Amino acid sequence: MQILIDDSRLKPVLEKVEARERLSFDDGIALYRSSDILALGYMANLVRERLHGSVTYFNVNRHINPTDVCVASCRLCAFGKRVRDPKAYTMSLEEVWQRAGEGWSEAVTEFHIVGGLHPELTLGWYCEMLRGLKQRFPQVHLKAFTMVEVGYLAQRAKVPVREVLERLRDAGMDSLPGGGAEIFSERVRRIICDHKITGEQWLETARAAHELGLHSNCTILYGHIENEEDRVDHLVKLRELQDETGGFVTFIPLAFHPDNTALRHIPKTTGFADIKNIAVARLMLDNIPHIKAYWIMMTPRMAQIALRFGADDIDGTVVEEKIYHDAGATTSQSLRRAELLQLIRKAGREPVERDTLYRPVTRTETAFTVLV
Ligand code: V47
């Protein structure tokens, strides 16, 4: 098909996309530098429809953040609090288990569990939390702990990362979410999250998880002090690891939210940047099956548009969200299943409820079945 491309620098990229060829680092830069959003969207949508047709995934999930106490004090974050901060909280195990059962009556298929790096909670405590959740909610998939939390638990328990992952897996962790990757460039990490594990350590931890047969997601945090080279380098590093392990399920571009962070002087990202990051991700990450437009972060309106610019997933019901709302997100904290269906249908897409590993889910009012 003949398509109109305003930005002639994108013509060679279009030829590669049409020929199903892998895009290079320089292609990634050309995509990020282009303002021809419709050409980007055309290409990204081509890839998205090749992979998934019109199907758009969502899930019925619940976020649980057991503590916001965090020793890292990342400049990018408004969620983490010091141990002695009167506003900080840490749930007891009973509270975590009780909180898990609260919210919509709709049967959730996934708990998404992340928190701060707490200096006192032990690996044993987290394992007990997982065991208690599995005992009470045996059908629910536990997507828990960023690579950063795993790295911190390993450091504190003085055991190898692989062993921490094994112990968490044996206690009930089914997969890992994609957070904490931020931007792998050390120059940028030194400024936005200087006490976190390095980019190399994040990738090593993901590799170890995948080698144990655990799947995980991955993310990028954009819209702060990074440049185009940093972003493309990040995507290429994820693509290289995925070539090795095949363990990444979904990639989620995350827009920096500056409110209440030490970087609050940085302006918020634009809708244009948010859409562009979805499209570039779809085009560069040819080996990661899914690209998620996280509606909490993008707003439901923009997430809906993203479904025509490369995204095939809109995330879930969430129920209770803290990380983005502490940093100024104005979206609601939750959407009902029916609202997600409506958003997807109104974008002319075909909604499919999935579990964490993208197996279709069928449900009644209070129960669900995963089709395997
Ligand atoms: O790791 C923290 C980011 C992540 C801010 O795997 C911020 O399915 C923007 O990873 N502005 C947590 N971003 C969220 C996350 C996630 C979300 C939805 C689904 C999945 C998944 C993963 O949020 C953190 C960090 O990268 N973050 N503070 C902020 N001020």
Side-chain angles (χ1 to χ4, degrees), residues 63 76-78 112 114 143 146 176-182 196 217-219 221 252 254-259 261 292 294 315 323-324 327:
H63 284 209
L76 70 88
C77 185
H112 171 133
V114 294
K143 183 180 79 182
T146 63
L176 295 94
E182 322 308 3
K196 245 181 204 162
N217 291 341
C218 51
T219 55
L221 183 73
I252 310 126
L254 297 171
F256 177 56
H257 282 45
D259 289 0
T261 75
K292 187 185 282 188
Y294 182 38
D315 203 68
I323 298 174
Y324 281 84

Side-chain angles (χ1 to χ4, degrees), residues 95-291:
E95 270 177 281
V96 175
W97 299 328
Q98 193 215 330
R99 190 66 71 96
E102 287 172 359
W104 304 136
S105 59
E106 288 162 341
V108 300
T109 62
E110 169 192 283
F111 291 136
H112 171 133
I113 308 165
V114 294
L117 309 181
H118 195 295
E120 281 145 27
L121 297 180
T122 61
L123 178 56
W125 188 91
Y126 284 104
C127 288
E128 209 182 325
M129 179 185 85
L130 293 168
R131 274 192 293 271
L133 286 170
K134 272 287 173 212
Q135 203 182 8
R136 289 163 179 79
F137 310 94
Q139 274 197 295
V140 178
H141 180 110
L142 303 183
K143 183 180 79 182
F145 314 123
T146 63
M147 306 303 163
V148 178
E149 290 169 272
V150 171
Y152 184 64
L153 283 172
Q155 183 199 320
R156 284 205 43 239
K158 298 193 174 54
V159 293
V161 161
R162 196 184 164 87
E163 193 180 321
V164 171
L165 287 163
E166 280 169 340
R167 283 176 59 183
L168 293 170
R169 181 196 60 189
D170 294 348
M173 178 179 76
D174 295 302
S175 71
L176 295 94
E182 322 308 3
I183 282 275
F184 295 139
S185 150
E186 287 314 315
R187 171 184 56 78
V188 177
R189 277 180 111 77
R190 267 200 296 279
I191 296 167
I192 66 169
C193 55
D194 53 343
H195 296 118
K196 245 181 204 162
I197 55 174
T198 63
E200 203 43 54
Q201 287 169 323
W202 191 97
L203 289 161
E204 274 306 314
T205 308
R207 181 181 283 112
H210 298 171
E211 282 171 0
L212 289 172
L214 290 160
H215 285 96
S216 79
N217 291 341
C218 51
T219 55
I220 188 172
L221 183 73
Y222 64 89
H224 40 89
I225 57 156
E226 87 291 359
N227 59 31
E228 284 129 3
E229 280 81 7
D230 298 324
R231 270 183 250 144
V232 177
D233 171 71
H234 187 93
L235 297 178
V236 168
K237 287 199 164 101
L238 289 172
R239 189 170 73 181
E240 284 168 0
L241 181 57
Q242 180 74 345
D243 277 342
E244 272 179 55
T245 68
F248 290 126
V249 184
T250 312
F251 176 76
I252 310 126
L254 297 171
F256 177 56
H257 282 45
D259 289 0
N260 307 317
T261 75
L263 300 173
R264 62 180 75 86
H265 56 281
I266 294 179
K268 292 188 169 78
T269 63
T270 60
F272 204 82
D274 293 345
I275 290 296
K276 193 190 272 192
N277 273 280
I278 293 277
V280 178
R282 183 59 288 165
L283 289 166
M284 290 300 290
L285 300 175
D286 52 19
N287 54 2
I288 299 188
H290 302 283
I291 303 292

Side-chain angles (χ1 to χ4, degrees), residues 50-80:
R50 242 182 232 156
L51 291 168
H52 308 291
S54 199
V55 165
T56 296
Y57 296 97
F58 71 98
N59 72 346
V60 176
N61 65 348
R62 192 196 207 294
H63 284 209
I64 305 172
N65 306 119
T67 180
D68 65 356
V69 169
C70 190
V71 296
S73 299
C74 296
R75 288 194 185 86
L76 70 88
C77 185
F79 170 72

